[in-house]
Each structure stands twice: as structure tokens, then as C-alpha cells.
Amino acid sequence: MHLLFSLSLLLALLHVTSCLLIGAFNIKQFGDKKSSNTSLIDVISTYKYIVSEPLGRSTYQEQYLFLYTEQTVSVVKNFTYDDKMDAFSREPFVVILTSTECLTYPKALNWSLVSFLSCSPAVKDFVLIPQHTSPDSAVKEVNSLFDVVTDVRARWNTNNILLMGDFNAGCSYVSGADWQQIRLFTDKSFHWLIKDDVDTTDCGHS
């Protein structure tokens, strides 16, 4: 268990109340102290999981980890994005899932946990694309997620795609003027679930 989580930086958690809930968390390091917390491990061990290979350009690497409840979703396919242009410090690990629950896209939310609360049979299969950007290249990496979406659309013929992150798209990393260089922002076919005025940053500790 320790080896599995030791490099994991992003956690995508799926579970159900009356409908499907999806959240993304940057858990930083998962080392000896956290892995020895039996209460935490007892909770984690109740979920199924899929995890990426270690990703990164140097000896410092991270992993993407998805936890999910087998009763409500299952993994159909996955792949690591082929980053031919070397746009990402850590390539996105893309997963397509199928759900036995209903899933619809809500209006913009005013909190950082992305949740799907409205029930409808509109969406069954959907794609999750997590990305933890490097703060120094956040503008380039967030913009390049447009290319990942294009790849997924061609590969799996779907528009049911959710981008999740720690995008580092705030503080001094992405300024107001920078957004005009980011296709996810300028292309109005993309729907941002978290409103622009919501502070999801920790700039005081950056």
C-alpha cells in the first residue's frame, strides 16, 4: 500500500449519495506517516482504484490515483497522454468510466468540490482528465489541455469530458491577461463548473 501511494499527488474520489459525486484533491506526499494511519487506510481500502505510472521529467515524479466504488462506476479504458510537444511536467492520465448512476452537468458551482447532484439518464459514460500543473508553466499546461481533449474526442468519440486539477491557475502563476492565451477559456464550448470569483488558491503559502 505504501508503494502504491507514496508518489500520489492527485486523488479523484467517486462515491454516491443519491447521485454521483466527483472530487479532486492534491494530497501532496503520501509517505510513511500517512500510510501508517490505520484509520485512513481502512477508509481507502474500501474503494477500488486505478493508478498511473510515476510521471515526471526528472527523479521527482508524481502519480494520479482514482478511487471509486465498484457498485456505481467501472473503468472502461485508460491511457497516458502522448505528450509529443513536451507541454506537461506530468502527462495527463486519462480514464473513461461507465456509471450505473445518473449523471448530468450542473450550473457553475461556488465551491471547489465538483459534485453532480441532479439525476438524469443523460450521461452514462464519461471521461476524467486530471492534471497537476507545474506553477512555473501553468499557462502553457492549462492551454495544452485543449489538445488532450481533442485527442480524447477523436479516440473515444465523446464530449462527456471533465477536466480536474490542481491547475495552479491563480496567484501569480496565471494573471488576468494570461487567460486570453488559454483555449479552455476562450473556446466557449467549455463550461467551467467553478466560478471565476471563487478562491481555491493558497497563495499565502505558494
Side-chain angles (χ1 to χ4, degrees), residues 38-193:
T38 55
S39 297
L40 178 60
I41 297 303
D42 286 345
V43 172
I44 291 175
S45 63
T46 64
Y47 292 90
K48 298 284 287 184
Y49 68 86
I50 182 170
V51 64
S52 73
E53 62 184 308
L55 300 167
R57 296 171 177 151
S58 65
T59 55
Y60 174 76
Q61 297 181 318
E62 301 175 358
Q63 288 176 278
Y64 297 111
L65 168 68
F66 294 85
L67 299 179
Y68 60 94
T69 54
E70 192 175 25
Q71 297 85 352
T72 54
V73 296
S74 59
V75 175
V76 180
K77 295 179 182 178
N78 67 86
F79 72 97
T80 301
Y81 178 67
D82 186 7
D83 186 16
K84 294 183 176 68
M85 303 302 293
D86 195 28
F88 298 101
S89 299
R90 294 162 285 273
E91 305 94 317
F93 179 63
V94 185
V95 176
I96 185 169
L97 304 103
T98 187
S99 174
T100 58
E101 299 293 321
C102 50
L103 179 64
T104 58
Y105 293 98
K107 295 181 179 179
L109 303 175
N110 60 2
W111 55 319
S112 60
L113 177 64
V114 178
S115 60
F116 296 86
L117 302 175
S118 175
C119 283
S120 161
V123 176
K124 181 179 180 182
D125 298 329
F126 59 98
V127 176
L128 299 181
I129 304 176
Q131 180 58 31
H132 180 212
T133 72
S134 172
D136 293 338
S137 58
V139 174
K140 178 181 179 181
E141 292 193 38
V142 176
N143 179 56
S144 296
L145 285 170
F146 185 96
D147 301 318
V148 183
V149 171
T150 300
D151 184 310
V152 169
R153 285 171 171 165
R155 183 186 297 257
W156 288 334
N157 191 30
T158 183
N159 283 316
N160 300 327
I161 300 169
L162 179 64
L163 293 157
M164 313 174 73
D166 182 351
F167 291 161
N168 283 307
C171 304
S172 60
Y173 310 137
V174 180
S175 68
D178 289 330
W179 286 105
Q180 296 306 314
Q181 305 175 45
I182 296 175
R183 289 169 289 173
L184 295 183
F185 180 78
T186 59
D187 186 328
K188 299 309 178 184
S189 66
F190 289 90
H191 179 61
W192 290 74
L193 298 178

